[in-house]
Amino acid sequence: MKRNFSIAVLPGDGIGKEIVPEAVKVLEAIGQLHGLAFSFQEAVVGGGAIDQYGRPLPDETLAVAKKANAVLLGAVGGPKWDGLDSSLRPEKALLGLREALGLYANLRPARLFPQLIEASTLKREVIEGTDLLVVRELTGGIYFGEPRGVKPYHNEERGINTEVYTTKEIARIAKVAFEAARKRRRKVTSVDKANVLESSALWRKVVIEVHKDFPDIELSHLYVDNCAMQLIRNPKQFDVIVTTNLFGDILSDEAAMLTGSIGMLPSASVGGRTAMYEPIHGSAPDIAGQNKANPLATILSAAMMLNYSFDQEKAADEIELAVLGVLDQGYRTGDILSAGTKLVGTKEMGELVVKQLMKA
Ligand code: NAD
């Protein structure tokens, strides 16, 4: 089995610069424990790249990402670049990376850590045991469909966006969801709006077709409005949710909030040869540079990398267990602090996870 891996490290802006080094430390430690050799190539992306190169995703950075076995990204953006034209904004780098690397599926686990139950705004009995995965289509749908734009329309203006999906696009994301379900509790819920949208009717038809190759997986369908409701009413009913770009954008944020802690949630974007791993949160300019950010979402993203890109499931599990161990000892960053727990900074949290790993 392959034991040497190259990782493109793109810390980005704001707290990205603080949390990514902690995840790198954890990768180095797990590498030692499992005899894995990681080589890290760092490159600039987002606002920092705009300052240095005049664009958010320089060719140099893209080349580093393409050459690597996987990409670890922090976050991009900040008030300094908010005024720029949308084509030059730091967030454009994310779209550029997804497109260039062919990453059409976004995997976002939302798992409630029992130690953090008090951080959720929902009642304990509703959220206890929540452990779901949202699989969001990432490169199609209304965010990319043509025609689009704002055009003069009689005496006013008219804004247009178009929801478009082809059979092939739906089939490949459905396959990702069924395969992910095989590593979990073997249940897929496909979410659409097939009662109103033709593109959704096609979505449902194709998902049913692909399901024929996965008879061991249970498939159900929900309209998106009902799914939004069910996520709050009874999140435990879900294992894998698969849906379009737009619905997935909204539902994955809703699912994230079930767990109450944006600083704890990892994500993976997969589909091409090189996958990309990043926390779901942004660059948090309000706490950047103060050693206050929670690095655990990034550390858990590194664990997803070991599992999905490097086939090192045991190493990934050990990182997750180390995170649980540190939480069990009562250590918390500010965003997940509650009565009776001990406040630590970004660096200390990273070091605690490494220490826990080494001791296991
Ligand atoms: P945000 O996720 O950066 O922050 C929202 C709130 O959560 C803030 O109060 C922040 O302090 C807190 N928070 C986020 N991550 C945290 C962590 N790891 N530890 C502790 N607290 C944390 O969202 P925002 O404020 O809407 O956006 C800030 C910037 O980030 C914007 O420029 C936005 O465009 C960008 N952004 C980037 C990404 C990305 O890179 N993938 C995603 C979302 C937003």
Side-chain angles (χ1 to χ4, degrees), residues 13-16 19 74-77 91 262 278-287 293:
D13 308 312
I15 60 167
I19 53 183
V76 296
E91 294 79 358
I262 197 170
E278 57 182 312
I280 70 157
H281 58 73
S283 57
D286 53 334
I287 56 165

Side-chain angles (χ1 to χ4, degrees), residues 13 15 19 73-79 81-82 89-91 94 98 108 262-264 278-288 292-298 333-336 346:
D13 308 312
I15 60 167
I19 53 183
L73 185 112
V76 296
W81 306 281
D82 277 350
R89 297 266 308 247
E91 294 79 358
L94 301 178
R98 286 172 192 163
R108 270 210 200 179
I262 197 170
M264 295 295 300
E278 57 182 312
I280 70 157
H281 58 73
S283 57
D286 53 334
I287 56 165
K292 283 185 179 166
N294 184 348
L296 294 178
T298 318
T333 43
D335 56 314
I336 50 174
T346 312

Side-chain angles (χ1 to χ4, degrees), residues 178-241:
F178 289 126
E179 278 168 357
R182 273 198 176 140
K183 290 192 172 186
R184 299 174 47 96
R185 300 192 304 281
R186 295 179 181 254
K187 267 175 65 177
V188 170
T189 307
S190 172
V191 176
D192 59 40
K193 190 73 185 167
N195 50 342
V196 179
L197 303 175
E198 285 81 359
S199 62
S200 268
L202 179 69
W203 178 279
R204 192 174 283 216
K205 188 174 105 181
V206 176
V207 171
I208 290 170
E209 197 54 41
V210 175
H211 180 231
K212 289 181 183 154
D213 292 334
F214 297 87
D216 53 319
I217 309 290
E218 186 188 322
L219 171 66
S220 58
H221 305 271
L222 276 185
Y223 295 136
V224 61
D225 41 347
N226 190 10
C227 183
M229 211 162 66
Q230 295 296 334
L231 269 173
I232 301 295
R233 200 183 67 84
N234 177 20
K236 268 174 281 202
Q237 67 184 287
F238 295 110
D239 179 19
V240 174
I241 293 175

Side-chain angles (χ1 to χ4, degrees), residues 3-275:
R3 307 202 78 78
N4 296 304
F5 303 101
S6 62
I7 302 174
V9 178
L10 315 181
D13 308 312
I15 60 167
K17 290 197 178 66
E18 300 166 71
I19 53 183
V20 167
E22 300 313 312
V24 168
K25 270 191 220 162
V26 170
L27 280 168
E28 277 168 343
I30 200 81
Q32 266 184 39
L33 290 170
H34 284 258
L36 307 169
F38 299 119
S39 61
F40 300 100
Q41 281 86 40
E42 195 168 323
V44 289
V45 70
I50 296 174
D51 291 349
Q52 207 173 319
Y53 292 90
R55 50 193 195 283
L57 181 60
D59 297 342
E60 292 81 349
T61 300
L62 193 53
V64 168
K66 277 184 165 167
K67 259 205 321 240
N69 296 123
V71 178
L72 181 66
L73 185 112
V76 296
K80 182 175 175 193
W81 306 281
D82 277 350
L84 293 175
D85 184 73
S86 74
S87 64
L88 276 177
R89 297 266 308 247
E91 294 79 358
K92 267 279 165 194
L94 301 178
L95 295 181
L97 279 164
R98 286 172 192 163
E99 199 181 325
L101 299 175
L103 307 177
Y104 59 81
N106 186 234
L107 275 52
R108 270 210 200 179
R111 169 168 146 207
L112 186 79
F113 290 86
Q115 301 91 336
L116 304 181
I117 221 158
E118 303 305 332
S120 176
T121 49
L122 279 99
K123 288 190 192 126
R124 170 184 283 268
E125 56 270 29
V126 173
I127 49 166
E128 209 158 34
T130 295
D131 180 5
L132 59 89
L133 175 73
V134 179
V135 177
R136 166 189 170 196
E137 201 289 326
L138 209 52
T139 53
I142 198 163
Y143 292 174
F144 296 93
E146 297 283 346
R148 64 184 301 154
V150 178
K151 302 210 171 72
Y153 181 72
H154 303 297
N155 286 333
E156 48 176 349
E157 286 185 303
R158 187 160 71 150
I160 304 171
N161 290 94
T162 309
E163 172 84 350
V164 191
Y165 272 111
T166 64
T167 308
K168 213 166 105 191
E169 285 174 322
I170 303 166
R172 66 184 186 182
I173 189 82
K175 197 159 164 261
V176 169
F178 289 126
E179 278 168 357
R182 273 198 176 140
K183 290 192 172 186
R184 299 174 47 96
R185 300 192 304 281
R186 295 179 181 254
K187 267 175 65 177
V188 170
T189 307
S190 172
V191 176
D192 59 40
K193 190 73 185 167
N195 50 342
V196 179
L197 303 175
E198 285 81 359
S199 62
S200 268
L202 179 69
W203 178 279
R204 192 174 283 216
K205 188 174 105 181
V206 176
V207 171
I208 290 170
E209 197 54 41
V210 175
H211 180 231
K212 289 181 183 154
D213 292 334
F214 297 87
D216 53 319
I217 309 290
E218 186 188 322
L219 171 66
S220 58
H221 305 271
L222 276 185
Y223 295 136
V224 61
D225 41 347
N226 190 10
C227 183
M229 211 162 66
Q230 295 296 334
L231 269 173
I232 301 295
R233 200 183 67 84
N234 177 20
K236 268 174 281 202
Q237 67 184 287
F238 295 110
D239 179 19
V240 174
I241 293 175
V242 62
T243 191
T244 63
N245 203 343
L246 173 66
F247 297 159
D249 193 358
I250 300 163
L251 292 178
S252 58
D253 267 19
E254 188 190 355
M257 281 324 291
L258 294 172
T259 70
S261 45
I262 197 170
M264 295 295 300
L265 295 170
S267 81
S269 299
V270 306
R273 196 186 63 84
T274 302

